[in-house]
Amino acid sequence: MNISRSRELFQKALLLLPGGVDSPVRAFRAVGGQPLFIERAEGAYLYDVDGNRLIDYVLSWGPLILGHAHPAVIEALVEAIHNGTSYGAPSPLEIDLAERIQRFMPGLEMIRFVNSGTEATMSAIRLARAYTRRNKIIKFEGCYHGHADLLLVQAGSGVATLGLPDSPGVPADTVRDTLVAPYNDLDAVESLFGRFPEKIAAVIVEPVAGNMGVVTPQAGFLSGLRAITQNFGALLIFDEVMTGFRVHPGGAQALYQVAPDLTTLGKVIGGGLPVGAYGGKKEIMQLVAPAGPVYQAGTLAGNPLAMTAGIATLEILANETVWSRIVEAAIALEKAVNEAARQAGVTVQQTRAGTMFSTFFTETPVINWQTVKTSNLTRFKHFFKAMLENGIYLAPSQFEAGFVSLAHTPEIIGKTAEAAHKAFMQIPE
Ligand code: KE4
């Protein structure tokens, strides 16, 4: 595949941007080679600067559930942009998007829009600490909740991808109150509460983990977290930045019927524009300034363009058949990849929750960070590169999720299956 123009651009980018990228996991560090520079995207396809067309399973790390440049989203944005790009004042659009989110997730009695998932999770934790008047939080190994200092502890996603021991620049004091438990391990959570019975403000969890690759909650894990937090007076925060609208139209809280106290969102609700949100019980959210004393702010929070793209996206997702078509594509892909691996005699663990999926190169069922780490990263790397050579753009890290969209037609899934068959055959023993 010719990538000469991407090579030129990467050399220039390396002089201007740390690692040549604006987010670490894009740098292809885990899979070798260099990132492709994208010129445009449409439907299920990315078009790079060298004219290569690639079937995209990253979809901007989840947001583009309708596919790239969906006509309804573009049309809405073109109209909205003529009304200006940011008001720094309330607009009816924020009410419209909040109401639409509530129709999917009624547990969000009140919502605050922010500009990223990181802002959403850091704000939700500040709120939980204020509401409970406690400082400690529990997160899980391999889960990633954005790059706020207090959450960069044994995190997944790019932190895991780069094998970072968390991050320099985060003072020990900042993470002193961040406790970590293995994912799917209720006993570990119970014992942390036993050690700090009155000190833990909240448990924050990816209700389906996507940032160590897709790892699903074992039966009873989420309901167990609900019971333990209720019992000890702590809040349960579902970080649904990735799982929202992806594992179920109503998120993991609908799929598993567990009601968190607070939920964080991002990605899909912005339709590809910068967005985040946190929300939940009114009695908690009323503490957020200016209604209450918990300060949080943002210049572009609730901006009209992100709201417009989110409204257009949820408008289409509200059509029941749309979401089921997307999940059917994910199921077809799962079957095809499993069959291709079987025929090639390659053992994989395929995981999927709704429209997000992963392929692990291990014989061990993946239930947490420790089992995910048994994946053969060299095999993953060969698979990634072979798929890319065959026109398929997967997440360039074993510790990320893949996503499908409304634009991933049966024909596109079929092409992916053919590529997977070739790719598995090319993996060296
Ligand atoms: P952002 O700050 O990147 O908008 O959201 C942070 C975040 C919070 N919570 C969850 C569950 C998330 O998955 C994320 C961000 N996800 C990563 C992908 N693993 C974003 C991609 C990247 O870092 O470049």
Side-chain angles (χ1 to χ4, degrees), residues 181-419:
Y183 196 74
N184 275 318
D185 187 340
L186 284 175
D187 292 345
V189 175
E190 193 82 56
S191 70
L192 285 172
F193 273 97
R195 278 176 58 200
F196 306 102
E198 306 291 324
K199 302 265 193 240
I200 298 172
V203 172
I204 184 168
V205 65
E206 289 185 59
V208 172
N211 286 292
M212 48 180 142
V214 174
V215 174
T216 52
Q218 290 183 313
F221 177 57
L222 297 176
S223 53
L225 291 179
R226 179 65 286 178
I228 293 171
T229 46
Q230 218 119 36
N231 184 29
F232 284 92
L235 298 189
L236 179 58
I237 303 173
F238 271 12
D239 178 356
E240 297 227 42
V241 166
M242 187 186 289
T243 55
F245 309 91
R246 276 274 172 204
V247 301
H248 181 286
Q253 54 199 269
L255 179 62
Y256 296 101
Q257 289 297 297
V258 172
D261 298 296
L262 293 174
T263 298
T264 53
L265 296 172
K267 297 183 191 271
V268 166
I269 64 167
L273 270 69
V275 75
Y278 62 104
K281 290 176 180 165
K282 191 168 184 172
E283 64 167 314
I284 303 173
M285 290 299 292
Q286 284 286 27
L287 279 177
V288 178
V294 178
Y295 197 72
Q296 176 267 308
T299 304
L300 292 170
N303 77 79
L305 297 185
M307 297 295 104
T308 296
I311 289 164
T313 300
L314 297 195
E315 169 71 16
I316 292 180
L317 273 185
N319 176 330
E320 278 293 306
T321 60
V322 165
W323 201 84
S324 51
R325 277 164 52 196
I326 303 170
V327 78
E328 276 158 25
I331 292 168
L333 179 70
E334 179 182 37
K335 286 190 178 123
V337 171
N338 262 330
E339 181 55 19
R342 190 191 61 77
Q343 286 181 6
V346 176
T347 304
V348 295
Q349 301 293 324
Q350 274 281 99
T351 57
R352 180 182 62 79
T355 68
M356 52 194 258
F357 66 91
S358 287
T359 304
F360 293 96
F361 289 79
T362 177
E363 299 188 352
T364 308
V366 290
I367 61 165
N368 58 21
W369 175 237
Q370 292 312 318
T371 48
V372 157
K373 282 201 300 184
T374 67
S375 183
N376 182 321
L377 299 185
T378 305
R379 294 195 129 197
F380 173 82
K381 182 175 171 178
H382 285 298
F383 181 68
F384 172 85
K385 294 182 112 167
M387 287 294 266
L388 192 60
E389 282 300 327
N390 285 289
I392 311 298
Y393 191 83
L394 299 176
S397 165
Q398 175 69 87
F399 309 126
E400 292 291 351
F403 304 94
V404 298
S405 80
L406 185 60
H408 285 74
T409 61
E411 185 204 2
I412 285 175
I413 299 296
K415 283 186 183 158
T416 310
E418 287 165 26

Side-chain angles (χ1 to χ4, degrees), residues 23-26 60-61 115-119 121 144-147 157-158 206 210-211 239-243 264 266-267 275 399-401:
S23 198
V25 73
R26 303 178 190 172
S60 184
W61 304 96
N115 294 292
S116 70
T118 294
E119 278 187 79
T121 56
Y144 175 76
H145 303 288
H147 64 87
S157 184
E206 289 185 59
N211 286 292
D239 178 356
E240 297 227 42
V241 166
M242 187 186 289
T243 55
T264 53
K267 297 183 191 271
V275 75
F399 309 126
E400 292 291 351

